[in-house]
Amino acid sequence: MLKNLSPLLSGALLSALDAMHDGQTLTLVGSGYPEEQITTPVIHLGDDVTTEAAAEAILSVFPLDQNDAAPIVFLDLTAEPSDVPDVAFAVNGIASDAELRRVPMTRLELAPFLELARTSAVTVRVGSDAPPCAFLLRRGVL
């Protein structure tokens, strides 16, 4: 284990994050995400890991794109513009804390989200029992 790194940041995950180029995306998915839709390499963090814990670990070392109007996209299964899931608020707060700035976030419905997720460099899967959720995180320059 390395000093001051989350134990969730395995060698495989750190290697995948390091290999990513600026502008590429990482997909972070919960247990309810359709397995058959994942077309990128998958790193499973464990059944007891929450989306929030995974986001905190990843965003502690993963810079978000500052030139993108919304470097975080979340899967919207509610179709209600005023209804943002608690996990989306939490991930947005974690990102803003990690970046030391307000990080804009946008939502997409299932079909356009899946289309973008297919082009991700890597998918990180958590096993939390939270409602189905998924995020795209666009890498920026460190």
Side-chain angles (χ1 to χ4, degrees):
M1 184 181 304
L2 297 172
K3 188 175 178 181
N4 297 326
L5 282 181
S6 167
L8 296 179
L9 296 172
S10 66
L13 180 53
L14 286 170
S15 180
L17 295 175
D18 186 50
M20 289 179 66
H21 301 288
D22 299 339
Q24 286 187 306
T25 57
L26 172 145
T27 304
L28 174 60
V29 300
S31 58
Y33 192 79
E35 186 85 28
E36 68 279 0
Q37 296 295 332
I38 299 174
T39 59
T40 62
V42 177
I43 297 172
H44 191 271
L45 294 185
D47 290 336
D48 59 340
V49 177
T50 65
T51 303
E52 295 90 334
E56 188 167 10
I58 292 166
L59 291 169
S60 72
V61 297
F62 185 84
L64 292 173
D65 191 340
Q66 294 188 19
N67 297 320
D68 190 330
I72 300 176
V73 176
F74 73 94
L75 175 60
D76 181 14
L77 297 174
T78 65
E80 287 292 327
S82 62
D83 188 15
V84 176
D86 291 343
V87 67
F89 275 116
V91 169
N92 188 249
I94 291 164
S96 295
D97 288 348
E99 292 286 309
L100 301 175
R101 65 182 174 97
R102 184 183 168 280
V103 176
M105 186 171 64
T106 191
R107 63 175 75 207
L108 286 177
E109 293 180 0
L110 185 60
F113 186 93
L114 291 175
E115 188 174 322
L116 284 176
R118 286 186 194 99
T119 64
S120 286
V122 66
T123 298
V124 176
R125 181 181 267 294
V126 298
S128 67
D129 291 332
C133 62
F135 296 87
L136 296 170
L137 308 173
R138 184 169 308 282
R139 182 187 162 113
V141 179
L142 185 60

